[in-house]
């Protein structure tokens, strides 16, 4: 292709193929994308040629591409849309670059001879549309691979015709119009509206259709062909000046090869020279140099392409900078490699301090990444204390599993052989100790819960930062795990002490304690009112309290006995000896103080307590005859129960005992609710907070461990390397984008004149003025309506915007995607 490039005529820029001057710019962008590991590129607008039959559309396209490969001629029409994709192949740099074509319908077949391409287009047209002028809307897709082209798509469309010929249907005109419209209505399609100068310009089909598809004229360039064969004495001057039909982007007049030229195999290069000569020899076009010739058409297209690139670049830059930020963040998370001992020591120390601080922050609720969806850290600890531990204790009724008979038995046992003169203190103490003992388990459980919470917190601490050092993470987890376990022990011991202390001294002088006399007073009142309430019933049924209720009694005893031994059993079937055996001493402080202690320690007395339930043993058996009589005592049964009859005194005693129990239990419960959390906070939570850092240093900060601790997995090293490289490329890309010369003028100048030996452009400073404000393109601009003065915004990818491309923030036009963009 290179050999076919024309010499630069005097009054035009180098008559380069379409997009020639944009190629280095686009190449540069593609290099950036390639470095980012993506196939993305700038999606350039499609260029379609529209016009009536034989107006010279194919000729214009060929001249723009600079190669001779399209079927042309008065008898040879474009009868199927030809979608021509120009694909840039990287130059090998040895000057022997190949150019070839490939058809979609002949995959894998390369056409190196462009004459063969032309023949195949013709043959393929006939295969689908027949040999007799038939037209089909089925595309022929051709790719031209070359190092000298821009990645752009050109579409050669069948020409508009009015009279059906050959195999053409009667509605041929409408069909072709629909087909053309389907291409040119796309906002990303640049329309070359081709009108031959030897026809009635004012009635140009091409301009009429382009006007429908692009009413504002933002993407239509008028092309006047065949200026060389106009009627003598006429010229296209007024047309080119936009005086006949105004067009925002203006007109370019061209002279393509005539049929005779084609027959004589005149090259495009020669044709361009001839064209230049033609314009120079026509004084009427002398002052219209900037709108005459294929080179000017190419230049105009280039300017539009540059403006398009300019439009999409800010979006591209924004995305690159966003990726830069996230990659930089990722890179920072992998940290730097530290080789020296001192550096490693400092790093380790830093990690240990940061971890200890993070752990403390979590407990104190100062964690930066605090969740808003659930409780975390210290808030969970508080929840466990208040909503689980305290609440559970408050729900417990100290008399819940004590029946009246249990209490009565305890009272009788405590008074020994005498009748009680006063409300006995001993059963109250025994029973209250048993209730206090019950507080031990939940308190220990609470400590265990908090321990579990702290372990969980330690695992959640610095998860991301520590990914880099799995060995250190493991060792730190071990250290903190052991340390927390060590903190749990004194908490548990202290909790044991608290409960023991409460059991060891029942402080009946506590100001909140109801006290004996008050309890008796309340109890008397209660018994009195309950007796009044039950009076009528007693009259009917007799004294139910006094009536034996062996079943109920059995049950009560069973409960009491079971609790005495801490063994669940059915008292009625178990041997008494077993039941009343003292509980073996156990380490649990609660069991030392269980009711078993009083029953157990006085166990030997059980046998001497009479069972008053058994009538025959209530009184001695007398002989009938006094003289010979001898009083026989029946052997006492091995199990003795308190009398079933409830005296008033006993009822009061039971109520008093219950009142005392409830009152004192309340005092103890409050103490435990207060002291257990304090204990756990002191010995476990705050102790860990205070000492963790020291423990870490003691256990892990050792010269000989640095290397081992700071070992990082290969994966991290790889990721660090990869992100560093991506970062470098992104920074480079960002700089390059910043330095790109984006004014078409500078592109033309910079890339055609100042290209360095590597083929890469020399970077110019960023231009300031807008292309279309100064260039020839704006000379023909018109404003059919006020709204046309404004820039149009569009979100379409690759869409052509206003000719001024004022919408510099559009992200459109970037095809493919960059990693992380
Ligand atoms: N003298 C002269 N002949 C031209 C010019 N442009 C095109 N022709 C001739 O006009 C004829 C038609 O040209 P094409 O390029 O095939 O026209 P087209 O619009 O693609 O034709 P269809 O595809 O059939 O609609 C050819 O013989 C060309 O050589 C021109 O500027 N001057």
């Amino acid at each position: 292709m290179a050999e076919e490039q024309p010499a630069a005529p005097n009054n035009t820029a180098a008559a380069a193929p379409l997009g020639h001057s944009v190629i280095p710019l686009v190449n540069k962008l593609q290099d950036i994308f390639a470095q980012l590991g993506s196939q993305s590129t700038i999606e350039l607008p499609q260029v379609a040629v529209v016009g009536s039959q034989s107006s010279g559309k194919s000729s214009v396209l060929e001249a723009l591409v600079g190669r001779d490969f399209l079927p042309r001629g008065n008898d040879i029409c474009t009868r199927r849309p030809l979608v021509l994709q120009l694909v840039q192949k990287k130059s090998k740099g040895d000057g022997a670059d190949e150019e070839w074509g490939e058809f979609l319908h002949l995959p894998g077949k390369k056409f190196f001879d462009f004459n063969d391409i032309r023949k195949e287009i013709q043959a393929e047209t006939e295969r689908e549309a027949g040999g007799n002028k038939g037209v089909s809307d089925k595309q022929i897709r051709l790719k031209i691979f070359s190092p000298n082209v821009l990645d752009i798509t050109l579409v050669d469309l069948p020409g508009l015709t009015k009279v059906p010929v050959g195999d053409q249907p009667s509605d041929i005109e409408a069909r072709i119009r629909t087909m053309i419209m389907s291409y040119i209505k796309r906002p990303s399609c640049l329309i070359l509206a081709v009108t031959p100068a030897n026809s009635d310009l004012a009635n140009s089909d091409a301009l009429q259709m382009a006007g429908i598809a692009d009413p504002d004229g933002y993407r239509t360039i008028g092309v006047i062909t065949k200026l060389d064969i106009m009627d003598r004495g006429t010229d296209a001057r007024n047309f080119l000046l936009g005086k006949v039909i105004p067009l925002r982007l203006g007109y370019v007049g061209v002279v393509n090869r005539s049929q005779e030229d084609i027959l004589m195999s005149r090259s495009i290069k020669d044709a361009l020279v001839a064209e230049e000569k033609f314009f120079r020899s026509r004084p009427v076009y002398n002052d219209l140099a900037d709108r005459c010739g294929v080179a000017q058409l190419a230049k105009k297209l280039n300017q539009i392409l540059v403006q398009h690139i300019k439009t999409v670049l800010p979006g591209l830059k924004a995305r690159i900078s966003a990726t830069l930020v996230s990659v930089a963040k990722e890179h920072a998370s992998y940290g730097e490699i530290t080789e020296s001992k001192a550096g490693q020591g400092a790093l380790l120390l830093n990690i240990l301090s940061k971890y200890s601080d993070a752990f403390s922050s979590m407990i104190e609720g100062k964690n930066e990444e605090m969740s808003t969806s659930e409780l975390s850290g210290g808030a969970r600890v508080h929840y466990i204390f208040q909503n689980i531990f305290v609440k559970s204790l408050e729900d417990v009724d100290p008399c819940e599993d004590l029946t009246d008979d249990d209490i009565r038995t305890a009272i009788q046992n405590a008074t020994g052989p005498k009748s009680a003169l006063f409300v006995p203190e001993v059963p109250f103490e025994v029973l209250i100790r048993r209730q206090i003992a019950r507080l031990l388990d939940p308190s220990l459980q609470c400590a265990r819960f908090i321990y579990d919470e702290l372990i969980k917190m330690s695992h959640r601490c610095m998860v991301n930062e520590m990914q880099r050092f799995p060995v250190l993470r493991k060792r730190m987890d071990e250290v903190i795990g052991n340390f927390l376990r060590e903190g749990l022990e004194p908490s548990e011991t202290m909790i044991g002490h608290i409960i023991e202390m409460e059991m060891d001294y029942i402080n009946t002088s506590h100001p909140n304690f109801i006290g004996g006399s008050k309890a008796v007073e309340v109890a008397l009142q209660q018994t009195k009112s309950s007796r009044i309430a039950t009076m009528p019933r007693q009259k009917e049924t007799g004294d139910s309290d006094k009536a034996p209720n062996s079943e109920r009694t059995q049950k009560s005893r069973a409960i009491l006995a079971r609790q005495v031994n801490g063994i669940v059993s059915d008292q009625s079937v178990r041997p008494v000896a077993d039941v009343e055996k003292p509980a073996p001493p156990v380490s649990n402080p609660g069991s030392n103080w269980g009711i078993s202690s009083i029953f157990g320690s006085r166990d030997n007395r059980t046998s001497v307590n009479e069972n008053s339930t058994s009538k025959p043993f209530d009184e001695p058996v007398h002989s009938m005859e006094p003289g010979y009589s001898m009083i026989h005592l029946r052997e006492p049964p091995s199990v003795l129960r308190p009398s079933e009859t409830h005296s008033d005194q006993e009822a009061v005693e039971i109520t008093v005992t219950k009142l005392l129990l409830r009152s004192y239990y309340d005092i103890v419960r409050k103490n435990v609710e207060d002291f257990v959390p304090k204990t756990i906070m002191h010995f476990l939570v705050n102790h860990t907070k205070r000492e963790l850092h020291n423990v870490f240093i003691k256990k892990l900060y050792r010269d000989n461990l640095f290397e081992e601790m700071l070992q990082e997995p290969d994966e991290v090293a790889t990721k660090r390397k990869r992100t560093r490289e991506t970062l470098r490329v992104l920074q480079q890309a960002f700089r390059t984008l910043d330095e790109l010369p984006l004014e078409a003028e500078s592109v033309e100048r910079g890339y055609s004149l100042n290209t360095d030996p590597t083929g890469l452009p020399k970077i110019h400073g960023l231009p300031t003025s807008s292309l279309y404000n100064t260039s020839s393109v704006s000379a023909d601009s018109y404003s059919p309506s006020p709204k046309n003065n404004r820039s149009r915004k569009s979100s379409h990818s690759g869409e052509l915007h206003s000719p001024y491309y004022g919408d510099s923030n559009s992200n459109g036009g970037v095809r493919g995607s960059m990693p992380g963009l």
Side-chain angles (χ1 to χ4, degrees):
M1 186 180 275
E3 75 280 1
E4 290 205 353
Q5 285 185 11
N10 294 342
N11 64 338
T12 58
L18 172 63
H20 176 79
S21 57
V22 190
I23 290 175
L25 176 62
V26 173
N27 279 355
K28 191 85 190 161
L29 289 169
Q30 273 167 342
D31 286 348
I32 294 171
F33 291 123
Q35 278 185 308
L36 293 172
S38 119
Q39 292 302 308
S40 298
T41 185
I42 302 288
E43 189 184 318
L44 295 170
Q46 223 176 48
V47 179
V49 281
V50 200
S52 52
Q53 245 179 33
S54 294
S55 54
K57 300 181 294 298
S58 306
S59 302
V60 167
L61 271 190
E62 270 189 340
L64 282 172
V65 175
R67 287 302 293 250
D68 211 347
F69 63 96
L70 295 175
R72 270 167 295 100
N74 285 326
D75 286 340
I76 308 160
C77 309
T78 306
R79 294 187 285 131
R80 285 177 63 181
L82 175 74
V83 178
L84 181 65
Q85 272 177 276
L86 305 183
V87 185
Q88 197 191 45
K89 291 295 288 180
K90 279 266 176 279
S91 171
K92 287 186 219 147
D94 56 4
D97 294 317
E98 288 176 326
E99 293 173 318
W100 75 94
E102 270 179 42
F103 288 95
L104 185 72
H105 64 270
L106 293 171
K109 184 167 181 192
K110 290 183 179 177
F111 289 78
F112 292 98
D113 184 340
F114 280 59
N115 286 320
D116 290 344
I117 293 178
R118 182 171 37 245
K119 285 180 200 151
E120 181 54 36
I121 293 173
Q122 259 172 294
E124 176 59 16
T125 302
E126 287 182 13
R127 262 173 237 140
E128 185 63 30
N132 195 11
K133 314 274 184 202
V135 174
S136 161
D137 58 6
K138 198 170 166 206
Q139 294 175 343
I140 296 174
R141 297 189 75 103
L142 169 63
K143 278 186 182 176
I144 302 281
F145 297 88
S146 163
N148 308 312
V149 293
L150 194 63
D151 282 334
I152 196 166
T153 301
L154 307 167
V155 188
D156 191 10
L157 293 163
L160 284 157
T161 181
K162 297 208 189 311
V163 186
V165 291
D167 288 343
Q168 292 172 353
S170 56
D171 60 348
I172 183 74
E173 187 187 356
R175 285 193 189 203
I176 292 178
R177 276 179 183 274
T178 310
M179 187 200 301
I180 292 173
M181 201 49 93
S182 71
Y183 287 88
I184 64 172
K185 72 178 181 201
R186 291 181 203 156
S188 62
C189 185
L190 197 59
I191 307 166
L192 297 186
V194 180
T195 313
N198 60 350
S199 67
D200 180 4
L201 289 168
N203 286 316
S204 161
D205 285 332
L207 289 171
Q208 190 241 344
M209 282 207 74
I212 297 168
D214 172 32
D216 295 331
Y218 286 127
R219 49 192 178 89
T220 305
I221 298 176
V223 182
I224 316 289
T225 56
K226 305 191 183 182
L227 290 177
D228 58 323
I229 52 172
M230 286 184 80
D231 263 0
R232 274 172 199 270
T234 60
D235 60 68
R237 199 182 149 77
N238 279 348
F239 221 102
L240 291 175
L241 285 169
K243 288 183 178 167
V244 184
I245 300 173
L247 200 57
R248 188 180 286 272
L249 297 185
Y251 292 86
V252 179
V254 297
V255 176
N256 293 314
R257 287 174 295 177
S258 64
Q259 191 59 31
E260 192 189 5
D261 293 333
I262 293 162
L263 292 173
M264 291 171 67
S265 302
R266 192 180 215 179
S267 71
I268 289 183
K269 186 179 168 182
D270 290 345
L272 286 168
V273 175
E275 186 195 41
E276 208 274 323
K277 211 164 130 193
F278 169 85
F279 284 116
R280 226 178 313 154
S281 64
R282 298 288 189 282
V284 69
Y285 298 122
N286 274 0
D287 60 335
L288 301 178
D290 59 350
R291 33 197 108 181
C292 291
V294 169
Q296 287 302 321
L297 178 60
K299 188 176 170 188
K300 203 177 264 259
L301 279 167
N302 284 347
Q303 289 169 342
I304 289 170
L305 296 178
V306 169
Q307 281 308 111
H308 176 78
I309 293 168
K310 192 176 171 182
T311 308
V312 301
L313 280 190
L316 193 60
K317 257 173 53 182
R319 276 184 280 174
I320 287 182
S321 74
T323 317
L324 248 174
V325 172
S326 74
V327 173
K329 211 171 158 188
E330 189 189 342
H331 183 253
S333 78
Y334 300 131
E336 290 302 320
I337 308 165
T338 321
E339 305 260 294
S340 72
K341 265 269 182 288
Q344 287 177 337
L347 177 62
L348 183 60
L349 210 56
N350 188 29
I351 293 171
L352 298 178
S353 307
K354 264 174 94 177
Y355 184 95
S356 308
D357 288 349
F359 188 77
S360 293
S361 302
M362 244 189 200
I363 293 173
E364 283 160 23
K366 289 177 188 151
N367 185 14
E368 278 170 24
E369 286 156 27
M370 199 187 296
S371 164
T372 50
S373 59
E374 58 171 319
L375 292 183
S376 64
R380 286 182 63 94
V381 170
H382 180 262
Y383 185 92
I384 291 169
F385 284 153
Q386 296 308 318
N387 295 49
I388 299 180
F389 176 64
V390 169
K391 192 147 190 317
S392 303
L393 296 198
E394 264 160 16
D395 287 347
V396 172
D397 174 8
C399 301
E400 147 191 277
D401 53 1
L402 273 184
T403 65
D404 288 0
D405 279 332
D406 297 336
I407 295 171
R408 203 149 57 88
T409 309
I411 291 171
Q412 286 190 19
N413 278 335
T415 35
K418 294 177 267 177
S419 295
L421 289 177
F422 305 102
V423 176
E425 203 177 308
V426 178
F428 157 68
E429 291 205 0
V430 169
L431 293 173
I432 195 67
R433 279 196 186 105
R434 192 171 83 175
Q435 294 306 321
I436 296 171
R438 289 175 68 202
L439 295 173
L440 181 68
D441 283 345
S443 304
L444 292 174
Q445 217 181 349
C446 178
R448 181 56 68 162
F449 282 169
I450 302 298
Y451 163 82
D452 290 344
E453 277 307 315
L454 294 177
I455 292 280
K456 270 190 245 166
M457 268 187 236
S458 76
H459 290 158
R460 271 189 233 120
C461 237
M462 283 175 71
V463 176
N464 292 334
E465 295 91 327
M466 296 299 294
Q467 260 173 5
R468 198 183 145 196
F469 305 113
V471 178
L472 179 61
R473 171 96 234 182
K474 197 165 161 266
R475 294 298 308 275
M476 285 171 76
D477 282 347
E478 279 165 18
V479 169
I480 197 166
N482 290 335
F483 183 57
L484 286 171
R485 255 192 304 284
E486 282 164 20
L488 183 62
E489 267 173 39
S491 318
E492 288 179 337
T493 311
M494 184 67 197
I495 288 169
H497 285 316
I498 290 170
I499 305 295
E500 274 184 55
M501 277 154 56
E502 291 291 354
M503 288 164 72
D504 215 9
Y505 178 58
I506 305 299
N507 179 15
T508 47
S509 312
H510 195 284
N512 295 344
F513 186 51
I514 186 167
S517 41
K518 176 82 178 145
V520 170
E521 193 182 304
V522 175
L524 280 172
Q525 246 163 21
Q526 276 183 8
T527 322
K528 214 159 138 194
S529 49
S530 77
R531 196 179 311 124
I532 293 163
T534 54
M535 205 80 100
R537 222 181 113 238
Q538 277 179 359
K539 274 189 184 152
E540 265 172 48
T541 58
D543 191 350
S544 66
D545 266 357
K546 288 187 177 176
N549 184 345
S550 61
E551 203 182 309
R552 185 171 159 263
T553 314
Q554 281 295 332
K555 194 172 167 239
S556 313
R557 283 173 193 145
I559 290 165
L560 185 61
R562 181 188 65 203
Q563 282 156 354
V564 165
N565 292 296
I567 300 163
V568 179
S569 67
D570 183 353
Q571 179 62 44
S572 57
V573 296
R574 289 199 56 186
V576 173
D578 278 0
V579 174
E580 307 228 331
K581 241 184 221 165
V586 286
S587 58
N588 185 341
S591 57
N592 292 335
W593 292 102
I595 199 160
S596 59
S597 58
I598 182 97
F599 287 96
S601 60
R602 300 178 187 189
D603 198 27
N604 48 355
R605 291 168 35 156
T606 312
S607 58
V608 299
N609 275 354
E610 284 203 69
N611 184 347
S612 58
T613 57
S614 168
K615 184 78 179 159
F617 301 102
D618 276 359
E619 288 163 21
V621 178
H622 297 277
S623 168
M624 296 304 286
E625 288 174 62
Y628 303 100
S629 69
M630 184 176 167
I631 302 166
H632 290 285
L633 290 183
R634 295 271 294 271
E635 285 285 321
S638 53
V639 177
L640 301 178
R641 309 282 184 209
S643 153
E644 274 183 6
T645 51
H646 274 207
S647 67
D648 283 355
Q649 170 67 19
E650 276 177 326
V652 173
E653 280 172 3
I654 289 166
T655 314
V656 167
T657 310
K658 279 185 176 176
L659 282 167
L660 296 175
L661 277 177
R662 285 207 172 97
S663 169
Y664 198 79
Y665 179 80
D666 239 27
I667 293 166
V668 177
R669 183 177 49 80
K670 279 185 184 137
N671 289 345
V672 171
E673 281 172 5
D674 188 34
F675 275 106
V676 166
K678 279 178 177 166
T679 304
I680 297 170
M681 285 307 288
H682 176 71
F683 287 101
L684 187 60
V685 182
N686 290 338
H687 175 68
T688 311
K689 248 171 63 185
R690 280 188 293 264
E691 294 300 320
L692 187 60
H693 190 229
N694 293 338
V695 172
F696 273 149
I697 289 176
K698 211 166 105 193
K699 304 262 178 192
L700 302 177
Y701 189 73
R702 304 257 172 78
D703 272 17
N704 56 341
L705 289 180
F706 288 172
E707 200 85 24
E708 185 200 333
M709 295 283 127
L710 297 175
Q711 244 174 40
E712 51 178 40
D714 294 348
E715 188 193 319
V716 170
T718 317
K719 279 185 184 164
R720 182 193 293 111
K721 207 169 149 209
R722 203 196 59 218
T723 48
R724 183 176 298 156
E725 185 52 25
T726 313
L727 207 57
R728 194 191 61 73
V729 169
L730 281 165
Q731 279 162 345
Q732 174 69 38
F734 196 78
R735 264 201 303 277
T736 311
L737 286 182
D738 243 4
E739 289 165 353
L740 281 179
L742 288 174
E743 291 299 322
E745 294 297 339
S746 38
V747 169
E748 294 288 341
R749 261 200 331 272
Y751 285 75
S752 57
L753 302 175
N754 295 333
T755 306
D756 70 18
T758 62
L760 293 175
K762 286 182 181 156
I763 304 297
H764 295 264
L766 264 182
T768 49
S769 64
S770 164
L771 161 69
Y772 291 102
N773 291 341
T774 53
S775 78
S776 60
V777 180
S778 62
D780 293 334
S781 299
Y782 80 113
S783 303
S785 68
K787 79 173 177 161
N788 291 333
N789 288 332
R790 288 201 308 270
S791 297
R792 255 195 318 179
K793 267 198 172 184
S794 169
S795 58
H796 288 280
S797 176
E799 178 174 341
L800 290 166
H801 297 257
S802 83
Y804 304 100
Y805 281 91
D807 180 14
S808 63
N809 287 323
S810 166
N811 292 346
V814 178
R815 186 172 56 210
S817 63
M818 287 195 288
L821 290 187

